[in-house]
Amino acid sequence: MTIASPLPPLTLRNATLDDLVEVLRAQHARKIDVIVPAERLRAVGTHLELIGTESLVSEDGVTATAGRYLPTAHCDQDIATKLGIPSPYLRRMREENGRLYDVNVNGWLQADPHRRFLFRGLAGSGSTGIGRALLSNSYKVIDNLDVLMAALAGIKESGVAVQIDGADLTERRMFLRVACEQIQAYAPELVGDYRSPFSGASAAAYPVVFAGFLLANSETGDGAFTITPRLTLQVCRNGMTINRDVVREVHLGGRMDDGIVRWSQDTLAKSMQLVTARARDAVRTFLDVDYVQTKITELAREARVAVTEAEKTIEFVSTRLSFTKDQQQLILQHFYKGGAITAGGVMHAVTSAAQVLDDAEKAFEMESRGVDAMHLAAAF
């Protein structure tokens, strides 16, 4: 399993496009995809061990797939789901009693030895690799790197100039934020009295919203490839995602036999052609002045609703949207700093608070609920 170069990072936050591509290429060079029956899997010292699986032959040489892999937290979640072990219990066993972890995992693997899984991992620099996912053997592998390149090709084909507003990578997903500053609209009723909680700049002086979208993909079984329209405020770069207009492509395929997963170039090309077409269509649909103005008009209707009890409103919104107490306090701080005592101000507080979170998954989840937060605040 040994590869000389150091293991690439699994996560990035607010990275550049170049940084994201570099990490994805490094991960791609180490990837291991193998269909394995339960009888060839076992837990040893809280690691997953693949037994007797065939080696991967590529242009870079021969990589042994048999060996031990340390599961990520996401992979542990897969193990719990696939084997019917409560996830909190599996986490506790990993932290407090490794022997019990092994006994439980091995017991349920042995209960159905012919059941098959898709194991996705990274070859290690030493004897131990990283286990990234344990998935159904009907999962359709669409790698982040391939998706990213195909999507960028679609954007280029559209002929519209865009800016990359940042990229995130987690154990679960890849995110790419795309903005188009040349497609913009004035939104004074949407921003109202809002000011940037970062700079203090008044949105009244910069009442502009840019078109854009958020591209997301999971290569570890945690959601479809999606393109979601995203409006960006000029004054503070807050992002408002329009979830009901999302474009989605689910990762499902036919059942696969045991062994190394080898997708034909024809199969891969067809999948990437679809991603390219989706990205090109998204540019034409979402990066459009009329689309942006329509969404601004829709949002502005509730954005102007006054908030009379800020703390109670934000507590209500946070409870309904399952935000943590710490997130609730952060949103309240951003609400007061933002100065817009309206339902729109609540939305802006949620989306600006999301920008300062270190955890990209939590930031994504928070930002994606910004419009919902406004609806709830307006109805409270």
Side-chain angles (χ1 to χ4, degrees):
M1 186 189 309
T2 303
I3 294 180
S5 59
L7 278 166
L10 296 180
T11 62
L12 293 171
R13 180 76 172 114
N14 293 321
T16 66
L17 177 60
D18 288 344
D19 288 340
L20 177 63
V21 170
E22 181 180 356
V23 169
L24 292 181
R25 282 178 173 161
Q27 290 184 358
H28 200 265
R30 289 177 172 272
K31 75 169 184 172
I32 289 173
D33 294 327
V34 56
I35 302 298
V36 57
E39 62 187 355
R40 291 185 177 272
L41 272 176
R42 68 181 176 191
V44 181
T46 68
H47 288 57
L48 273 186
E49 184 171 25
L50 275 60
I51 304 165
T53 51
E54 64 179 298
S55 296
L56 172 64
V57 181
S58 68
E59 294 178 355
D60 298 322
V62 179
T63 302
T65 63
R68 293 186 183 181
Y69 298 82
L70 179 63
T72 62
H74 177 69
C75 188
D76 260 348
Q77 177 67 54
D78 285 344
I79 294 168
T81 300
K82 291 292 182 288
L83 300 183
I85 302 171
S87 182
Y89 181 52
L90 192 70
R91 284 198 302 269
R92 183 181 176 190
M93 288 188 291
R94 171 174 291 284
E95 295 168 359
E96 300 179 14
N97 193 325
R99 185 189 64 82
L100 199 56
Y101 177 103
D102 294 346
V103 168
N104 275 265
V105 171
N106 289 330
W108 288 109
L109 285 172
Q110 293 163 12
D112 187 2
H114 302 297
R115 183 181 180 187
R116 286 168 170 76
F117 306 96
L118 167 61
F119 173 80
R120 304 212 76 186
L122 297 178
S125 298
S127 59
T128 302
I130 297 175
R132 302 183 64 207
L134 192 67
L135 305 168
S136 163
N137 64 331
S138 64
Y139 183 78
K140 181 181 178 183
V141 177
I142 302 182
D143 287 332
N144 287 334
L145 181 61
D146 294 327
V147 165
L148 179 62
M149 291 303 163
L152 292 175
I155 293 170
K156 184 176 180 180
E157 286 179 11
S158 73
V160 178
V162 301
Q163 298 76 44
I164 304 303
D165 239 11
D168 297 323
L169 187 65
T170 74
E171 293 179 2
R172 298 167 58 192
R173 285 178 284 198
M174 170 189 72
F175 304 104
L176 186 73
R177 294 179 290 280
V178 178
C180 181
E181 296 184 4
Q182 74 184 61
I183 306 298
Q184 58 180 254
Y186 286 98
E189 293 184 332
L190 179 61
V191 299
D193 296 326
Y194 180 67
R195 59 177 178 269
S196 169
F198 308 115
S199 67
S202 170
Y206 306 92
V208 174
V209 172
F210 302 131
F213 54 85
L214 175 72
L215 184 150
N217 184 64
S218 176
E219 58 183 15
T220 55
D222 201 47
F225 159 64
T226 60
I227 300 177
T228 310
R230 182 177 186 265
L231 307 181
T232 303
L233 293 186
Q234 180 185 19
V235 70
C236 61
R237 310 304 294 193
N238 286 357
M240 297 167 285
T241 53
I242 314 299
N243 295 316
R244 68 181 182 182
D245 293 343
V246 64
V247 175
R248 184 182 304 272
E249 182 68 24
V250 179
H251 296 216
L252 291 176
R255 299 247 172 222
M256 295 179 282
D257 297 327
D258 295 358
I260 299 296
V261 176
R262 297 182 179 89
W263 291 105
S264 71
Q265 287 302 310
D266 182 59
T267 299
L268 179 61
K270 288 179 180 178
S271 294
M272 292 308 100
Q273 286 169 6
L274 180 60
V275 171
T276 298
R278 292 275 196 254
R280 187 176 60 244
D281 291 346
V283 170
R284 292 171 178 169
T285 303
F286 303 143
L287 305 191
D288 176 81
V289 172
D290 290 338
Y291 177 85
V292 174
Q293 192 61 66
T294 296
K295 297 305 167 182
I296 289 172
T297 301
E298 291 175 0
L299 295 173
R301 292 169 187 160
E302 290 184 319
R304 298 189 297 269
V305 175
V307 168
T308 56
E309 297 179 284
E311 294 189 15
K312 288 184 178 179
T313 299
I314 289 177
E315 180 181 7
F316 168 74
V317 168
S318 297
T319 300
R320 289 290 300 273
L321 298 181
S322 300
F323 294 145
T324 66
K325 288 294 184 182
D326 287 342
Q327 289 173 328
Q328 178 182 324
Q329 286 302 117
L330 182 63
I331 292 167
L332 186 62
Q333 292 170 16
H334 278 246
F335 181 74
Y336 285 133
K337 286 182 180 179
I341 312 303
T342 60
V346 173
M347 175 179 66
H348 300 319
V350 170
T351 55
S352 64
Q355 292 191 54
V356 304
L357 295 180
D358 293 330
D359 187 315
E361 286 289 343
K362 291 180 179 178
F364 165 73
E365 295 294 344
M366 181 178 282
E367 181 182 289
S368 69
R369 307 310 297 273
V371 174
D372 294 333
M374 181 182 68
H375 294 330
L376 291 168
F380 181 67

